[in-house]
Amino acid sequence: MSSSVSPLAPKNVPDMPVIAGVRLATAEAGIRYKNRTDVLLAVMDKGTAVAGVFTQSKCPSAPVEWCRAKLKGGKARALVVNSGNANAFTGKTGRSSTALTAKIAAKAVGCPEGEIFLASTGVIGEPLDATKFDGVLGRLAETTEAGDYLAAAKAIMTTDTFPKVATATVKLGKAKVTINGMAKGAGMIAPDMATMLSFVFTDAPIAPAALQALLKSGVEDTFNAVTIDGDTSTSDTLLAFATGAAAEHGAPRISRASDPRLKAFVKAFNQVLANLSEQVARDGEGARKLVEITVEGAKTKASARKIAMSIANSPLVKTAIAGEDANWGRVVMAVGKAGEPADRDKLSISFNGIRVAKSGARDPSYDEAQVSEAMKAPEISIKVSLGLGKGRDRVLTCDLTKEYVAINGDYRS
């Protein structure tokens, strides 16, 4: 956790309302850090529905495997998250640690172990001493409150420079329902049906299967459209919890994601995901520029996504942006290497609304001074027009600076 906040951090932090059926508490367990909170316990009311998406890494962490197995039950009573140790690549010891953590949490909360969900973030390859949770989780279970989400978000930070929270309120039937979310992530960010660590809570009465469908759809153009460095984590976990408490105030019980009464809720739910995922991009390790890459005129949306990700993950593109250089040649390179349909002579490229290349060559009206001034902005948009079809997509990333190397060069030190 950095002492210097990213210059791209949001200027305002939203007031996070209470969600009926969710209680939070944090503590210092001494997992890796000193003099800071590093464990979060969220306790939910009985009957809370749960959904999740996870990393597609072939080397997933022990908590990811635990959650995948327990997700089939569809119900959750508690979430335990620790920072400082990812409990990944830890073999049988890692699996034993998750089992012990769940056992301790289940006893503290008074529920089956199958309704305990776990997430860990931090260093890979070091055993997690789950005995450090013994006593800590018991005390937390006794002190949970209806919710300091900002404190919860701080407890799960690693190299993050600011806590990431978002909220939305919307009508579902005759009732007002709330959606709160938190996330952590600043490096090793290239999601694939998941995110770094993120947790979303709502009091809407939504069945597990419907919630799962909403979550799977919602991440596609939010968390799955963000990359910091092209590296997918072993621990990526996004869990959503629906307590159903709003049913007491007239919210209808939803069993299908296609229910037309969900239209406004889905929009708000996706806005929370989009807000959190953008905050992750804004907190990219060492970042000084938020970068939006839009590719249009592709054969398909999927093709546009691959090309946009090729640009976003290019170290040459990202370092050029860090140097405030509108080097469209590097963008051309990234388009060409993506392996998707492209025609050099139809290609056009713009930086912050200024077209620098047209029809496969430098734009005749190109003005170096004008473009250089535009590149000084903290937010950079790159637009690529392929001229081949109607496929369009957009991804978020950040620049690549010396600070990224410094942070990751001594991450374990």
Side-chain angles (χ1 to χ4, degrees), residues 77-101:
R77 284 296 313 284
L79 166 70
V80 180
V81 188
N82 75 270
S83 57
N85 186 312
N87 196 12
F89 200 65
T90 47
K92 293 181 179 179
T93 300
R95 291 188 287 274
S96 296
S97 293
T98 57
L100 179 56
T101 304

Side-chain angles (χ1 to χ4, degrees), residues 252-307:
R253 296 190 179 278
I254 304 295
S255 59
R256 297 177 295 106
S258 59
D259 192 316
R261 294 173 295 183
L262 270 180
K263 184 176 181 181
F265 179 88
V266 170
K267 183 178 180 180
F269 185 79
N270 290 346
Q271 284 176 343
V272 169
L273 297 182
N275 188 317
L276 292 172
S277 61
E278 180 176 315
Q279 289 186 58
V280 169
R282 287 180 175 276
D283 204 18
E285 290 171 340
R288 294 295 178 267
K289 308 276 189 182
L290 177 69
V291 186
E292 180 185 61
I293 298 169
T294 302
V295 174
E296 62 181 20
K299 287 285 189 179
T300 64
K301 175 181 169 67
S303 181
R305 169 67 62 87
K306 289 182 180 179
I307 292 171

Side-chain angles (χ1 to χ4, degrees), residues 9 19 36 71 111 117 120 124 143 179 194 213 249 273 285 308 364:
I19 291 183
R36 58 152 287 191
L71 200 64
C111 71
F117 286 79
S120 298
I124 294 171
T143 59
I179 306 162
H249 303 287
L273 297 182
E285 290 171 340

Side-chain angles (χ1 to χ4, degrees), residues 116-314:
I116 301 293
F117 286 79
L118 309 172
S120 298
T121 180
V123 174
I124 294 171
E126 294 184 4
L128 173 63
D129 182 4
T131 62
K132 290 187 176 182
F133 295 125
D134 200 5
V136 172
L137 294 181
R139 292 194 300 274
L140 288 180
E142 294 174 355
T143 59
T144 53
E145 297 180 347
D148 190 341
Y149 286 86
L150 195 62
K154 288 179 179 178
I156 65 175
M157 292 165 59
T158 52
T159 58
D160 306 64
T161 70
F162 62 88
K164 302 163 183 64
V165 294
T167 186
T169 302
V170 68
K171 291 290 287 291
L172 180 58
K174 297 180 180 180
K176 180 179 73 173
V177 298
T178 302
I179 306 162
N180 284 352
M182 69 181 83
K184 68 80 51 184
M188 201 183 288
I189 307 298
D192 187 2
M193 281 316 298
T195 178
M196 303 36 69
L197 292 187
S198 188
F199 310 104
V200 179
F201 304 87
T202 182
D203 53 358
I206 302 177
L211 189 63
Q212 183 67 38
L214 293 181
L215 189 63
K216 186 175 181 180
S217 173
V219 297
E220 274 306 308
D221 290 329
T222 58
F223 280 114
N224 280 358
V226 171
T227 179
I228 301 301
D229 45 26
D231 288 330
T232 297
S233 171
T234 59
S235 306
D236 290 346
T237 298
L238 171 51
L239 293 169
F241 303 93
T243 69
E248 297 179 4
H249 303 287
R253 296 190 179 278
I254 304 295
S255 59
R256 297 177 295 106
S258 59
D259 192 316
R261 294 173 295 183
L262 270 180
K263 184 176 181 181
F265 179 88
V266 170
K267 183 178 180 180
F269 185 79
N270 290 346
Q271 284 176 343
V272 169
L273 297 182
N275 188 317
L276 292 172
S277 61
E278 180 176 315
Q279 289 186 58
V280 169
R282 287 180 175 276
D283 204 18
E285 290 171 340
R288 294 295 178 267
K289 308 276 189 182
L290 177 69
V291 186
E292 180 185 61
I293 298 169
T294 302
V295 174
E296 62 181 20
K299 287 285 189 179
T300 64
K301 175 181 169 67
S303 181
R305 169 67 62 87
K306 289 182 180 179
I307 292 171
M309 280 294 187
S310 179
I311 298 168
N313 284 325
S314 167

